Amino acid sequence: MELEAQGNPAMNKVLLILSCILLSIGNCGGPLIMRLYFIHGGKRVWFSSWLETGGWPIILFPLIITYLNRRAKQGTSTKPFFMRRPLFIASAVIGILTGLDDYLYAYGVARLPVSTSSLIIASQLAFTAAFAFLLVKQKFTSYSINAVVLLTIGAGVLALHTSNDRPSGESTKEYFAGFFMTLGASALYGFVLPLVELTYKKAKQAITYSLVMEIQMVMSLFATLFCTIGMLINKDFQAIPREARAFELGETKYYVVVVWSAIIWQCFFMGAVGIIFCASSLLSGIVIAVLLPVTEILAVIFFREKFQAEKGVALALSLWGFVSYFYGEIKDDRKKKQTLVDTQVPQDIPKP
């Protein structure tokens, strides 16, 4: 099981579906479990940001399996990792940016309801589209443009109810600080996604899914190191045992929330980089945006947040945009296949 997708359409589709599932789990579950931590007594923003990438050792398990499989086929001379130094440095830099993004996002979730922070994150799609155009020369079709517009309008519709979402007991200053920190996180991650795609394109080696997992592991490692420094400065490690004992749901459930938070967020990042590998950073941004109303509905169910009519409209617009994008992709794929068939048809040999 070498997990190579390039040049293998069937494997590429399987990995794309798997990546979409992982991204869906992380994108919907991550904000909810992070908010659960804060509303029941959690106060450590650096610790929450650390948890977003702290689950990176999970990636070691599939990497070990693929290595053992290669070793069985190729012998003891098999290298445990594919990554070369330039790619390692690029992944480390992106990881540090991701760590900063984690802090900005965690700060926002600590101050804002899930519905509000999620709709702000939806603006990430516009940033992703802009940076994808600048960094990787992303080509836009009428269908992808339509999808971006619809999903952006959906986020704008949701913004109509934000004035009633400020948590009780929170000052206007704190609310707007959370708002702008979340907006900063949205812009930064909108830059990170195309930057990952650019790294794939500029890497002077073949990009396999095994290598993608290595890249994600290095990115998460350096993001975690960045947040660890913040935790040390803020003395979060000393505060964790006290916070666990005072947690409203109980000490045991505190650690359950912490562990699952790390696992779920790792699903998010693996899904995001997987979609970039199989398709593009734009599609990764579109999937994140289309899951926004799902997160909104789950927030209504689990945290009893209000479900206004705007959320229903946003859900319809998001689904419309998602269908529009994939209809365009299917149509473009058929056109490419037809062009390939036409070029392979032998020309009639002229009679002498």
Side-chain angles (χ1 to χ4, degrees):
M1 184 181 62
E2 185 44 47
L3 295 176
E4 293 190 24
Q6 292 183 338
N8 189 336
M11 178 61 78
N12 191 78
K13 288 181 181 178
V14 170
L15 290 176
L16 180 59
I17 292 171
L18 175 62
S19 297
C20 286
I21 292 171
L22 288 173
L23 183 58
S24 299
I25 293 170
N27 196 66
C28 295
L32 294 175
I33 199 165
M34 182 180 284
R35 186 61 182 166
L36 180 69
Y37 164 81
F38 283 116
I39 64 176
H40 288 290
K43 294 180 175 64
R44 319 310 295 188
V45 175
W46 275 112
F47 181 44
S48 293
S49 59
W50 186 92
L51 289 173
E52 290 183 58
T53 51
W56 64 266
I58 296 171
I59 306 174
L60 285 171
F61 292 104
L63 284 176
I64 290 172
I65 293 172
T66 56
Y67 167 69
L68 293 175
N69 182 70
R70 291 198 310 273
R71 184 181 173 124
K73 292 179 179 179
Q74 302 171 12
T76 55
S77 60
T78 304
K79 293 182 179 180
F81 297 105
F82 290 108
M83 186 178 291
R84 296 172 186 166
R85 184 179 297 177
L87 193 54
F88 177 85
I89 295 172
S91 301
V93 172
I94 297 174
I96 293 170
L97 291 176
T98 301
L100 175 59
D101 181 76
D102 290 344
Y103 176 76
L104 295 175
Y105 180 73
Y107 188 96
V109 173
R111 301 294 188 276
L112 305 174
V114 173
S115 56
T116 306
S117 61
S118 295
L119 72 88
I120 297 170
I121 288 296
S123 65
Q124 173 188 302
L125 180 60
F127 292 112
T128 302
F131 286 121
F133 176 76
L134 294 172
L135 295 178
V136 296
K137 310 301 180 187
Q138 173 72 48
K139 294 181 180 179
F140 290 90
T141 66
S142 58
Y143 296 100
S144 60
I145 293 173
N146 185 52
V148 171
V149 171
L150 287 170
L151 290 167
T152 304
I153 292 175
V157 169
L158 282 174
L160 295 175
H161 76 276
T162 56
S163 59
N164 300 321
D165 269 356
R166 187 168 41 154
S168 58
E170 186 173 284
S171 68
T172 303
K173 183 180 179 180
E174 290 175 328
Y175 180 85
F176 280 105
F179 182 94
F180 286 111
M181 291 287 258
T182 307
L183 185 62
S186 176
L188 183 55
Y189 203 65
F191 173 69
V192 166
L193 289 176
L195 193 59
V196 171
E197 185 175 357
L198 180 65
T199 302
Y200 292 167
K201 291 180 180 295
K202 296 294 184 180
K204 296 179 180 179
Q205 59 183 113
I207 302 293
T208 65
Y209 194 72
S210 296
L211 183 56
V212 168
M213 288 191 289
E214 291 179 22
I215 293 170
Q216 177 54 36
M217 186 178 71
V218 173
M219 286 168 52
S220 293
L221 172 60
F222 276 86
T224 304
L225 290 174
F226 178 87
C227 295
T228 300
I229 295 171
M231 288 183 68
L232 289 170
I233 295 172
N234 203 43
K235 298 182 179 180
D236 280 9
F237 287 105
Q238 296 93 318
I240 289 172
R242 295 195 304 271
E243 190 172 77
R245 289 192 293 270
F247 197 60
E248 293 176 4
L249 299 179
E251 186 174 357
T252 301
K253 289 184 179 178
Y254 175 88
Y255 290 109
V256 170
V257 168
V258 165
V259 171
W260 276 105
S261 180
I263 294 171
I264 290 173
W265 278 116
Q266 201 54 230
C267 289
F268 171 85
F269 287 108
M270 279 303 302
V273 297
I275 291 176
I276 294 172
F277 168 71
C278 298
S280 67
S281 56
L282 179 62
L283 177 58
S284 188
I286 284 176
V287 174
I288 291 172
V290 81
L291 290 169
L292 162 66
V294 179
T295 306
E296 293 268 343
I297 292 171
L298 291 174
V300 170
I301 295 172
F302 291 109
F303 298 142
R304 303 188 184 280
E305 294 184 5
K306 296 178 181 179
F307 188 87
Q308 293 95 336
E310 293 90 344
K311 296 183 182 181
V313 174
L315 176 61
L317 288 171
S318 295
L319 292 175
W320 183 9
F322 195 59
V323 170
S324 173
Y325 179 84
F326 276 101
Y327 176 75
E329 288 296 301
I330 293 170
K331 192 173 181 180
D332 187 56
D333 187 54
R334 287 177 179 174
K335 186 178 179 180
K336 288 179 181 177
K337 287 181 179 178
Q338 185 60 46
T339 303
L340 183 62
V341 170
D342 291 342
T343 56
Q344 291 177 345
V345 173
Q347 298 295 324
D348 293 334
I349 301 174
K351 295 180 180 179

